[in-house]
Amino acid sequence: MSEKAFRIGPIRPPSEANSLLIQVTNGCTWNKCRFCQLYRHTKFKAYSADSIRADIDNIAYWAERVRMYARKGTSAFAWDIEGINAELSNMTDADDRQCMYTVANWLIAGGENVFLQDGNSTALSSGRLSDVLLYLRQVFPQIKRITSYGRAENLSRSTAEEFAELKAAGLDRIHSGFETGSDAVLQRINKGVTQEQQIRAGRAIKAGGIELSIYFMPGVGGKDLSETNAEGTAEVINAVNPDFVRVRTAAIKPGTELYQDWQEGKFELCSDDDKVREIRRVIELASGVDTYIVSDHMINLLQNVEGNITADREEMLQRIDDYLDQPEADRRVFQLLRRTLRAYDLNDMKRLSAAELDALRAEVVKENELGWTVRMNGYICRYV
Ligand code: SF4
């Protein structure tokens, strides 16, 4: 790596698309979830405070270079984009080019948000993490929000006071892949955490003043644990009142243990409809919370089921019922349209002509003959 380059990890939540990514750890401390192979071949490493500060200094160096192209004004268009592109295309070092490109994108998008990577940044000691947060805010005083991933089991070992210290140092939000709140499902997917630990972690984070964004995976428990998956998750939401629940529909990736289980007949895939019913059940069971449901991944079938789980409950349930009330053949057509990125919501399907719908129904019949499963971006899903 060149002297002025800094590390950039592979993964960030979609909501951090415009954030500066700073890698404070590499990989995942657990690496044993049966549906995940993200960091399977990466040995976990927590970087030293000195090494992270050196990266922040290098980011500051690139920020200075990019700012030379700033024009007077405050809009995203107040940049000499052609000048930045010309400098980037003249750079011979690929690492340097990537670093300058990353920083330029961040500053042009406002330069306000930062995401600390990788799979479990809160595995850094809270002292080391606080040092990093304070230094980051000192070097870039314009930062408005710093967020990071944390593993629930790890988070459950910290107190509200410790989270309050991290908040004071500048950590605003923790994303955590709870996936489910059901102990039976947690065991099946080998998440290495219990519902009780999730609740303890979630309450302490909230009490410490940090926003909490948890992830829910409809369908990850399989057909037999489908209802349990929804009910356990609703229990956690009601006990914690997370700020966000982000829906990540389960789809099984070849190479994972869960895929192996499916191939060996030990794991029955939930259908798209089962997964939609799980989301419905979670919304129905949520009570007295101010959580916002977010559907910010293309893998989710119903992208428009979003809103405050209490204030927008009826509207979200209605959107789900609009889908579930379709005849089975049309639900399959909609699934096919979504999985092939030809529709966003039911209205897109309703705009199709009768002839187009008939052709799609025939396509679905063909898919069904192949075994009622569909591959989407390398994932396995199942129709209706
Ligand atoms: S904790 Fe997250 S990154 Fe680690 S194995 Fe599980 S799902 Fe993958």
Side-chain angles (χ1 to χ4, degrees), residues 289-300:
V289 290
D290 198 29
T291 302
Y292 204 86
I293 298 266
V294 185
S295 177
D296 60 353
H297 200 289
M298 51 91 84
I299 208 163
N300 299 329

Side-chain angles (χ1 to χ4, degrees), residues 28 30-33 35-36 38-40 119 151 179 191:
C28 167
W30 177 244
N31 247 341
K32 294 177 192 159
C33 298
F35 62 88
C36 172
L38 215 47
Y39 302 109
R40 220 24 102 83
R151 199 176 152 252
E179 331 300 7
K191 193 72 201 172

